[in-house]
Amino acid sequence: MSLLNLSNISIENTAAVRPVDIDNARIQNQILEDRLGNAKVGRFLEDTMLRRYLTYIFSFIIFLWLAAVISILYFNHNLLELNLSENVLITLLTTSSVNVIGMMLIILKNLFPQTPNQG
C-alpha cells in the first residue's frame, strides 16, 4: 500500500477558466432548462389526457354497475322472479354504494389534487 505524496501537487499546469467557457456553460445550462421545461409541459399534457380517459372509463363502469343493481332490484320480484333474500339485497345495495362513492372519490382526488401549502 503506497502513500500519496502531497508535496508533488502543483496547480501551475492547470488551464485558466476563460469568459468564453463561462458563457458556453451558461448557454448549455439554459438549453437544459428549456428541455426540462418542455418535458414538464409534455408530461402535464399526457397526465391531463390520461385523467380524462380514466374519468370516462370510471363513469361508464359506475353507470353499468348501477344499472345492474337497479335491474337486479327490479327483477327480483317482477319478471325474472329471482326471489333473493333481504340480506342479499341489503349487501348488494351496500357494496354498490361503497363502490360508487369510492370510485368517485378516486376520480375527484385525481382530477383535483391538493398541493401541500409551502410557506
Side-chain angles (χ1 to χ4, degrees):
M1 183 168 140
S2 67
L3 296 175
L4 178 63
N5 188 359
L6 296 178
S7 63
N8 293 333
I9 295 177
S10 171
I11 59 170
E12 294 175 11
N13 295 332
T14 60
V17 177
R18 298 175 297 167
V20 175
D21 296 333
I22 294 173
D23 288 340
N24 287 339
R26 285 183 184 153
I27 290 171
Q28 289 176 352
N29 189 25
Q30 185 63 39
I31 290 171
L32 290 175
E33 287 178 6
D34 289 344
R35 287 182 182 173
L36 179 63
N38 289 339
K40 286 181 180 179
V41 169
R43 183 175 178 183
F44 176 77
L45 292 174
E46 289 291 324
D47 286 349
T48 303
M49 189 181 340
L50 180 63
R51 287 177 180 166
R52 183 177 298 136
Y53 288 138
L54 286 175
T55 302
Y56 292 144
I57 290 169
F58 276 139
S59 298
F60 185 69
I61 289 170
I62 290 170
F63 172 77
L64 288 178
W65 188 272
L66 290 177
V69 169
I70 290 171
S71 62
I72 288 172
L73 289 175
Y74 178 74
F75 292 128
N76 185 36
H77 291 294
N78 291 335
L79 185 63
L80 296 178
E81 299 287 332
L82 295 175
N83 295 324
L84 298 174
S85 70
E86 285 186 21
N87 290 336
V88 172
L89 295 177
I90 290 171
T91 304
L92 179 66
L93 286 173
T94 305
T95 57
S96 64
S97 300
V98 169
N99 283 332
V100 168
I101 292 170
M103 282 189 196
M104 289 310 294
L105 284 175
I106 291 170
I107 291 170
L108 291 176
K109 282 188 177 186
N110 194 14
L111 287 177
F112 304 105
Q114 294 181 357
T115 57
N117 293 337
Q118 297 182 11

